[in-house]
Amino acid sequence: MANAIPQSKTYRPSMPMTWWLERWNYTWFILRELSSAFVAYWVVITLLQIAAISAGPVAYTNFRVWMSAPYMVAINIITFIFVIFHTLSWFRLVPQAMLPRIGGKRTSTTMTSAPMYAVWVVVSVIVGLFIMGILP
Amino acid sequence: MADKITLEVARYSPEHDGERRFDRYEVPLHENWMVLDALNYIKDHIDGSVTFRWSCRMGICGSCGMLVNGYERLTCEALLADYLPGPIRVEPLKNFPVVRDLVVDISDFMGKLERVKPWIIRQPGAVEPQREFLQTPEQLETYKQYSFCINCMLCYSACPVYGLDPHFIGPAASALALRYSTDSRDQGSEERLDVMAQNEGVWDCTVIGECSVVCPKHVDPSLAIQEYKISATKAWFRNLLMPWGGK
């Protein structure tokens, strides 16, 4: 191993607590990690919703009343924004993590990302049609 | 265009063991001058004590990496005119101990590089060809991108994970490990995987991706690390399913 220079003779600037504000990529990373907490919250709410449905009409009505409280609506709007961000951030990450090879050549970033966005749009449209009652 | 521009150069001397300071120098602004030309002008004409590394002046040797206005650049490729009206702040790379002024101690990186054995490994008893090794264009394509790494260490400076955990093997060492492990002539991929699959190997990486953004040779070390994660995972499953099947 190469000989190290005595540490007492060197100067190492400390990393500030706000390092993640220095560059957009760093901030994006922290927001991506933070958004995981909102995804977890979303899962918990969904499980509670399923439990309420299983428990019968009264429990489900109580759940809906709770969900329509202004503070829950506010929390859920913020959660929705972060969950969308989480999805986009992982779609953005995939070409950074894998670029499959086709015929020995790497695919482009667009080729890797486009199918994910396409599937996302199609699934969102189908779910939207269900919610609007257009699909049975 | 202005005929002068100011550089704020980070200064630190071990003899004084103090905090570093910034000295301001006014240099001529020539159309084709790079930041490295300005530093050489300062050293030759204004202050001979300013210390920095450089060699080829053409983006090949990887010696002159520094922070220019807070971002990692090879100073031989950073055009002064792009930073008008100035001042231009020049600092040593982050995440490394500073030896003097703009020179950092690279021994940690050199040690990591040695650990990943960045050379062609042939196993004892391997049948060696009677002539040069032949490779198809596809085999060359597999590792070519990673072979462009010039060890400039800009990626280590840009990596907050390395800043927070200096044990992390880091981007360039990972890219070079993959460069050799995916070379059809090499037989040392398992030895390297033993190093790369450790916690302080590729698993420390949180995919921030800034290493690939600052890479002056478009090596994309972030991609190399993720590819190593896939290899490490496959090897783990292989060992789990076939514990007697060898590595």
Side-chain angles (χ1 to χ4, degrees):
Chain A
M1 186 178 286
N3 291 328
I5 293 164
Q7 292 293 301
S8 60
K9 291 290 184 187
T10 58
Y11 167 73
R12 185 189 278 273
S14 57
M15 205 162 160
M17 285 282 286
T18 53
W19 63 267
W20 52 279
L21 293 172
E22 287 175 5
R23 295 183 197 183
W24 175 232
N25 247 359
Y26 299 163
T27 310
W28 184 279
F29 159 71
I30 290 292
L31 288 174
R32 189 183 82 208
E33 299 297 297
L34 178 69
S35 64
S36 303
F38 289 94
V39 174
Y41 164 81
W42 188 285
V43 171
V44 169
I45 289 293
T46 305
L47 291 174
L48 289 176
Q49 186 175 15
I50 292 168
I53 292 169
S54 307
V58 176
Y60 188 55
T61 304
N62 288 340
F63 177 84
R64 292 188 64 177
V65 169
W66 178 43
M67 282 295 111
S68 55
Y71 75 93
M72 284 306 294
V73 171
I75 290 172
N76 287 340
I77 287 172
I78 294 167
T79 301
F80 182 70
I81 292 167
F82 268 95
V83 169
I84 293 289
F85 174 82
H86 189 82
T87 308
L88 292 173
S89 68
W90 281 98
F91 281 5
R92 180 178 181 252
L93 200 65
V94 169
Q96 282 177 254
M98 61 164 87
L99 286 176
R101 292 172 192 275
I102 297 177
K105 293 269 184 189
R106 282 196 193 284
T107 51
S108 66
T109 303
T110 311
M111 275 283 287
T112 309
S113 299
M116 296 186 302
Y117 285 100
V119 170
W120 189 37
V121 168
V122 168
V123 170
S124 298
V125 168
I126 291 171
V127 170
L129 292 175
F130 268 116
I131 291 172
M132 288 187 288
I134 297 171
L135 282 180
Chain B
M1 193 165 80
D3 61 350
K4 288 184 183 301
I5 192 164
T6 300
L7 266 68
E8 294 175 346
V9 180
R11 306 297 308 273
Y12 165 75
S13 54
E15 295 84 4
H16 299 105
D17 272 344
E19 289 291 301
R20 68 173 171 182
R21 64 179 196 276
F22 284 90
D23 285 349
R24 290 171 70 92
Y25 304 98
E26 199 174 59
V27 300
L29 177 62
H30 296 294
E31 191 181 353
N32 297 323
W33 266 23
M34 303 294 168
V35 171
L36 181 61
D37 295 316
L39 288 171
N40 273 320
Y41 180 88
I42 292 167
K43 188 159 183 82
D44 292 344
H45 300 285
I46 306 174
D47 185 347
S49 70
V50 174
T51 308
F52 51 97
R53 282 197 183 101
W54 64 282
S55 183
C56 75
R57 295 193 293 189
M58 55 176 79
I60 294 296
C61 73
S63 305
C64 68
M66 299 170 206
L67 296 186
V68 180
N69 280 356
Y71 284 86
E72 290 78 12
R73 294 295 309 271
L74 294 179
T75 50
C76 66
E77 292 185 337
L79 200 62
L80 279 182
D82 285 346
Y83 296 93
L84 279 171
I88 303 172
R89 181 162 276 220
V90 187
E91 299 168 81
L93 292 178
K94 288 186 293 185
N95 304 334
F96 292 99
V98 180
V99 178
R100 180 185 292 273
D101 296 345
L102 301 167
V103 176
V104 294
D105 177 6
I106 62 171
S107 47
D108 181 61
F109 170 68
M110 296 307 288
K112 285 177 170 137
L113 200 56
E114 200 174 312
R115 281 176 60 202
V116 303
K117 302 181 180 175
W119 53 80
I120 299 279
I121 296 173
R122 301 288 294 171
Q123 294 302 331
V127 179
E128 301 299 335
Q130 297 302 305
R131 48 177 293 182
E132 71 273 17
F133 283 97
L134 297 179
Q135 283 188 319
T136 64
E138 288 74 26
Q139 287 172 325
L140 173 65
E141 192 66 32
T142 309
Y143 68 84
K144 188 178 173 187
Q145 172 188 349
Y146 302 123
S147 72
F148 292 141
C149 176
I150 57 172
N151 301 336
C152 64
M153 295 171 296
L154 300 197
C155 52
Y156 281 79
S157 175
C159 175
V161 176
Y162 180 63
L164 294 165
D165 178 10
H167 298 295
F168 173 40
I169 195 83
S174 302
L176 284 164
L178 197 63
R179 176 259 173 271
Y180 286 95
S181 288
T182 52
D183 190 317
S184 59
R185 299 164 294 183
D186 183 79
Q187 298 176 329
S189 58
E190 285 170 8
E191 293 172 44
R192 292 190 199 93
L193 193 59
D194 286 342
V195 176
M196 302 304 292
Q198 294 171 3
N199 282 343
E200 289 159 354
V202 289
W203 296 111
D204 259 359
C205 172
T206 53
V207 206
I208 297 170
E210 190 69 4
C211 55
S212 296
V213 173
V214 302
C215 179
K217 297 296 169 189
H218 311 293
V219 169
D220 201 352
S222 174
L223 183 64
I225 293 174
Q226 310 327 311
E227 290 195 348
Y228 248 120
K229 286 179 182 172
I230 294 170
S231 299
T233 307
K234 282 180 183 170
W236 186 83
F237 271 110
R238 203 163 48 240
N239 289 340
L240 184 73
L241 297 173
M242 297 183 289
W244 302 283
K247 285 190 173 179

